[in-house]
Amino acid sequence: MATSDSLIQVRNLKKHYHRGAIKALDGVTADINKGDVMVVIGPSGSGKSTFLRSLNLLEEPTDGEIIFNGVDITKKKYVDASGKKVKLDIDSLRQKMGMVFQHFNLFPHMTILDNMTLAPMKVKGVSKEEAEKKALELLDRVGLADRANAYPIQLSGGQKQRVSLAGVMVDQVKILLFDEPLANLDPATGKQTIELIDEIQEKTDTTVVIIEHRHEDVLWRNVDRIILMKDGGILADLHPDELLSTGLLGENGIR
Ligand code: ADP
């Protein structure tokens, strides 16, 4: 359920390349609220990926602000509540913003369980027992508990996608970012993936931002807003029904 509690405020965000010759983002302003499900659409090259990647600083913005939990994360240092200047901790930021890519990034020589416990154990120093318990719980949530000891090659594309989803949920993510999660999936698996994202979103009330070309698959019942991008800017930010009642989709060559 969307609320009016703001999670991220994006203000006049710009990302320019080649000294401004390419304006991938050119003044994007948007509010992302807690529990929102947002779908970002727009023609190829309109800035969707850059927008998503900027949110967790995979792209360093050229200008503008991204306020997350009250802190402008585009600045390397900020002043905390006690007035002290502190360095922005990008790793801990990324643990709150989980990005699910279209490529699955699983180590082929390791089992699914070992893939999932690797980062918690090696990076965060969680014990093997605790990491495995959590991983199994998450695999169960995505319907793959019985595949924990399988190797990536033994899984279908849809199953690997579900492992990546379970993988980002190892952290207490506040927001899940999806860049074309259905790109490599057949229609039936795509539908299952969307249903799973929907289910997780409902159970955890996580905010979801998703870029997907397969509009007919993603526009499921509880999408709160569609952001329509064009030429590095936001052309419309509306509820799906409102957007459909404008002529904007057709005018921009979107089915
Ligand atoms: P979309 O996801 O909507 O297809 P992108 O965000 O990938 O759009 O790209 C927006 C624009 O920025 C495109 O014109 C793209 O060519 C350009 N762009 C993206 N990344 C780079 C880069 N690293 N260097 C130069 N131009 C880039």
Side-chain angles (χ1 to χ4, degrees):
M1 260 297 284
T3 66
S4 53
D5 294 341
S6 179
L7 181 68
I8 302 178
Q9 294 146 283
V10 180
R11 294 288 175 265
N12 204 19
L13 191 68
K14 295 182 183 173
K15 176 68 183 179
H16 292 177
Y17 292 102
H18 306 305
R19 297 185 190 172
I22 296 175
K23 296 181 167 68
L25 294 179
D26 202 26
V28 164
T29 292
D31 282 304
I32 302 174
N33 297 326
K34 286 188 186 134
D36 260 2
V37 177
M38 285 173 47
V39 177
V40 183
I41 66 174
S44 178
S46 57
K48 303 181 296 294
S49 242
T50 309
F51 174 58
L52 203 72
R53 293 167 59 82
S54 299
L55 291 178
N56 71 351
L57 302 181
L58 286 171
E59 300 289 351
E60 194 176 333
T62 310
D63 197 16
E65 296 179 345
I66 302 171
I67 319 277
F68 177 57
N69 283 338
V71 171
D72 180 5
I73 60 170
T74 65
K75 306 278 183 296
K76 292 197 170 68
K77 285 186 176 164
Y78 65 96
V79 178
D80 73 4
S82 65
K84 255 198 329 211
K85 216 170 189 187
V86 286
K87 204 167 155 253
L88 182 77
D89 182 349
I90 292 193
D91 290 336
S92 101
L93 179 76
R94 296 220 176 106
Q95 284 168 24
K96 296 186 190 105
M97 295 198 197
M99 182 111 180
V100 183
F101 296 93
Q102 33 178 289
H103 307 292
F104 313 112
N105 297 328
L106 294 170
F107 290 112
H109 62 287
M110 291 167 63
T111 64
I112 299 306
L113 188 63
D114 289 343
N115 263 288
M116 283 192 64
T117 54
L118 186 70
M121 285 166 57
K122 294 274 185 276
V123 183
K124 279 170 253 156
V126 174
S127 72
K128 185 173 160 71
E129 196 188 3
E130 199 183 321
E132 288 189 347
K133 184 167 168 259
K134 179 82 187 170
L136 285 169
E137 211 178 279
L138 291 170
L139 284 173
D140 187 41
R141 195 183 284 182
V142 299
L144 287 176
D146 59 338
R147 306 298 283 148
N149 294 315
Y151 286 86
I153 197 168
Q154 298 171 300
L155 264 52
S156 68
Q159 289 176 324
K160 280 187 264 194
Q161 179 65 287
R162 281 191 268 160
V163 175
S164 4
L165 191 54
V168 291
M169 293 192 305
V170 163
D171 297 309
Q172 294 282 316
V173 284
K174 302 253 182 288
I175 176 164
L176 285 168
L177 308 172
F178 294 92
D179 194 348
E180 293 199 54
L182 310 184
N184 299 316
L185 307 178
D186 62 68
T189 314
K191 188 159 175 280
Q192 284 168 13
T193 301
I194 284 297
E195 280 167 3
L196 180 67
I197 296 172
D198 192 15
E199 188 191 313
I200 289 170
Q201 197 280 329
E202 281 210 331
K203 275 194 193 142
T204 58
D205 207 25
T206 310
T207 304
V208 168
V209 184
I210 179 164
I211 298 176
E212 185 51 63
H213 288 290
R214 285 161 57 171
H215 303 143
E216 67 284 10
D217 290 327
V218 279
L219 294 181
W220 76 91
R221 61 197 152 81
N222 68 4
V223 171
D224 297 297
R225 282 155 61 199
I226 299 183
I227 286 193
L228 171 61
M229 293 193 68
K230 190 180 183 183
D231 301 332
I234 292 182
L235 206 57
D237 178 352
L238 295 168
H239 184 272
D241 295 339
E242 289 173 303
L243 183 63
L244 283 170
S245 69
T246 70
L248 284 168
L249 294 181
E251 283 164 26
N252 289 283
I254 294 164
R255 268 191 307 136

